[in-house]
Amino acid sequence: MTTTLVKNGTIVTASDRYDADVYIDKGVITLIGQGLNLPADTVLDASGKLVMPGGIDVHTHLDMPFGGTTSADDFASGTVAAAHGGTTTLIDFAIQDFGAGLYPAFEGWMKKAEGKAVIDYAFHMIVRELSDQVSIDMDRMVRHEGVTSFKLFMAYPGVFMVDDATIFKALLKTRENGGLICMHAENGGVIDTLVKDALRKGQTAPKYHALTRPTRAEGEATGRAIALAEMAGVPIYIVHLSCSDALEKIKQARDMGLPAYAETCPQYLFLSYDDYERPGFEGSKYVMSPPLREKWNQEALWKGLVKNDLQVVSTDHCPFCMNEKELGKDDFAKIPNGAPGIETRLMLLWDGGVRAGKIDVHRFVELVSTSPAKMFGLWPRKGTVAVGSDGDMVLWDKDKETTLSAATHHMRVDYNPYEGRVVRGGPAVVLSRGEVIVDHGTFKGGAGRGQFVKRQAGRPLVPVGRRSSYERTA
Ligand SMILES: [Zn+2]
């Protein structure tokens, strides 16, 4: 395969919509035009389909050690599942070990992906302590390795949590090297105290995971992270924002013109605290951090997506099978945190967003592909359909109906948080660098074909301004 011609589709990007053919040569789009009649090794008919840039998921945890176990999807199964859902690039998290620099983690995660990944990938570095070595390595990561973002935690004391001084120093570092700090914003000290208190009272059921992580703890940490970034004079990106309390902090900051950015995830748009009240131990399926919130928060998050107070929808894909969730049968604090979602992001956002009339197709593309690319130094190589961009594309079928279920999904986990939910709209054909990797539900790619992508440093290319209106065109 060296050349591919996609004919008769309707190209939809974050800004444009037009009928045209796309020609991809050696993985890169070299020609877009009407009535193209070039010879190609592969010719695809996209009649009736929308031709959109492949999804970019900037928050996944494949093959990740957590609480004595490991997330169920590795870079093989996880990227195959991603591809089935129309995602063609992901950014995963490599975790620094205590007492080590960043290179062992970077090399370790490169090895995890090598020979396995079927779509392109990049890494954020999780920084757990800021030694002199780590400080030097942060510069090296940005300047030499194309690893331009770092994740810090304000929660999980003793495991990931760093103090304000460390956060501030890391922020200052990015001012010099053009990297970006991603923040898990929850007040770990408060949560830890509430968790111990609950367990002392014998409150061990899964729902107490949510009840010990109040929205105020997320709001407070979000506000603090933004203030620290403001004092350091750098942008900040809040990961998996889950509630109105935290969104208000982002809105305030953006009203002041500060480059404060945030992502949310489908679980916070479509699931709620009510799922913890399911019978038996079923609530454990939804144990993740931040937890699912009271349902009314969903509407606030949708408004945030419409107005560009939230710029990205990622997944925080971190699946654990039920036998591992069982580790917390008698103690919710021992339930591995995380849920699957890498495969269902686009379908859910299309069905619940575009079809429901909340966002238009362009905003959809922006949220799942273009803004993630612009935020994390992948644009314009990724995140759009344009001459010079990689041939990462989804031929989207607006009428495709899918029943989300563990019985049929490709994620290596024995439950689906959306079990039985019917979604309309889904990928018919998925291309990665011009190669068809999913063809109407059949996987065609090869293990290890995915490539590591070096990213560019510098301020996120996503505007701080609001979107004043949106048009419904789907
Ligand atoms: Zn995460």
Side-chain angles (χ1 to χ4, degrees):
M1 194 280 316
T2 54
T3 55
T4 306
L5 180 59
V6 179
K7 289 186 71 71
N8 310 319
T10 300
I11 297 174
V12 175
T13 68
S15 53
D16 297 310
R17 179 189 176 106
Y18 55 97
D19 294 338
D21 305 335
V22 185
Y23 186 75
I24 304 149
D25 190 358
K26 295 184 197 75
V28 176
I29 297 169
T30 55
L31 200 58
I32 298 175
Q34 293 184 328
L36 293 185
N37 262 321
L38 293 91
D41 302 314
T42 307
V43 179
L44 301 169
D45 181 16
S47 297
K49 305 286 189 298
L50 302 178
V51 179
M52 310 190 295
I56 299 175
D57 190 345
V58 300
H59 192 148
T60 68
H61 300 280
L62 301 176
D63 204 355
M64 188 194 79
F66 185 93
T69 177
T70 305
S71 61
D73 272 315
D74 64 5
F75 279 82
S77 65
T79 56
V80 168
H84 276 282
T87 289
T88 52
T89 306
L90 57 80
I91 310 183
D92 204 87
F93 294 90
I95 306 173
Q96 176 221 347
D97 275 329
F98 287 115
L102 299 180
Y103 271 84
F106 174 56
E107 284 153 11
W109 258 262
M110 287 290 268
K111 275 207 195 81
K112 284 174 190 266
E114 216 178 79
K116 288 188 173 172
V118 304
I119 59 171
D120 292 351
Y121 54 93
F123 297 111
H124 313 277
M125 297 291 326
I126 289 179
V127 174
R128 302 164 94 180
E129 58 184 355
L130 195 54
S131 60
D132 291 345
Q133 185 62 50
V134 170
S135 209
I136 293 164
D137 284 355
M138 282 178 78
D139 288 344
R140 287 190 185 145
M141 283 291 148
V142 174
R143 290 179 185 143
H144 305 307
E145 312 302 342
V147 173
T148 56
S149 45
F150 306 90
K151 185 184 186 186
L152 276 66
F153 287 78
M154 301 168 97
Y156 301 114
V159 186
F160 288 121
M161 191 169 113
V162 288
D163 62 14
D164 289 351
T166 303
I167 294 169
F168 189 60
K169 284 174 197 161
L171 287 162
L172 287 173
K173 202 92 224 59
T174 62
R175 185 161 147 172
E176 297 160 30
N177 63 28
L180 177 65
I181 298 295
C182 305
M183 191 65 73
H184 179 125
E186 282 187 298
N187 186 313
V190 167
I191 289 166
D192 213 38
T193 305
L194 292 174
V195 168
K196 285 189 179 127
D197 219 44
L199 291 174
R200 213 167 15 238
K201 290 186 207 144
Q203 299 169 331
T204 59
K207 69 174 178 184
Y208 291 104
H209 170 75
L211 296 173
T212 53
R213 303 184 93 91
T215 59
R216 279 284 189 274
E218 187 182 344
E220 183 279 326
T222 301
R224 180 156 41 103
I226 292 168
L228 292 168
E230 184 188 3
M231 288 187 276
V234 295
I236 185 139
Y237 181 86
I238 308 294
V239 298
H240 50 43
L241 187 143
S242 74
C243 60
S244 173
D245 260 345
L247 179 59
E248 285 305 314
K249 304 292 181 184
I250 291 278
K251 280 160 73 174
Q252 255 175 38
R254 293 174 68 82
D255 281 344
M256 290 162 65
L258 295 174
Y261 301 99
E263 66 182 16
T264 190
C265 312
Q267 53 269 35
Y268 304 118
L269 297 167
F270 297 105
L271 303 171
S272 74
Y273 173 79
D274 299 345
D275 289 299
Y276 296 115
E277 298 281 359
R278 287 168 184 255
F281 193 57
E282 222 193 317
S284 67
K285 294 175 179 175
Y286 303 93
V287 168
M288 59 186 82
S289 299
L292 301 176
R293 304 302 194 179
E294 286 175 37
K295 211 172 169 66
W296 64 267
N297 287 278
Q298 294 175 357
E299 201 188 318
L301 296 179
W302 279 109
K303 270 187 196 151
L305 292 174
V306 168
K307 293 189 166 182
N308 204 37
D309 286 316
L310 299 171
Q311 298 78 36
V312 172
V313 175
S314 67
T315 64
D316 196 10
H317 177 75
C318 192
F320 294 99
C321 289
M322 288 312 287
N323 66 326
E324 305 203 289
K325 290 279 186 184
E326 301 264 335
L327 291 170
K329 194 93 190 142
D330 306 310
D331 174 355
F332 69 86
K334 294 201 172 82
I335 301 172
N337 278 216
I342 202 166
E343 187 172 351
T344 48
R345 179 179 63 129
L346 271 62
M347 288 181 275
L348 282 165
L349 200 71
W350 181 276
D351 186 68
V354 180
R355 272 196 77 231
K358 293 188 169 83
I359 53 171
D360 72 357
V361 287
H362 306 289
R363 184 58 178 158
F364 171 82
V365 170
E366 204 163 47
L367 289 168
V368 301
S369 181
T370 314
S371 285
K374 288 185 171 180
M375 186 68 62
F376 289 103
L378 289 164
W379 191 83
R381 179 175 167 193
K382 307 284 191 191
T384 191
V385 176
V387 170
S389 297
D390 282 354
D392 295 356
M393 300 189 301
V394 179
L395 311 190
W396 191 263
D397 179 352
K398 285 193 281 187
D399 301 316
K400 183 183 173 186
E401 212 169 81
T402 310
T403 304
L404 305 181
S405 172
T408 48
H409 72 205
H410 302 83
M411 301 178 282
R412 200 161 64 193
V413 57
D414 54 2
Y415 76 94
N416 189 307
Y418 309 94
E419 187 67 38
R421 187 184 176 114
V422 179
V423 287
R424 261 185 85 180
V429 178
V430 181
L431 295 97
S432 166
R433 283 176 277 105
E435 186 186 343
V436 174
I437 55 171
V438 176
D439 186 2
H440 296 89
T442 305
F443 184 70
K444 301 267 188 177
R449 65 165 300 287
Q451 294 175 359
F452 173 71
V453 187
K454 284 192 171 191
R455 297 182 285 126
Q456 290 177 352
R459 248 177 137 77
L461 298 170
V462 179
V464 176
R466 288 254 162 78
R467 285 166 66 97
S468 54
S469 66
Y470 71 101
E471 214 187 324
R472 199 182 152 187
T473 51

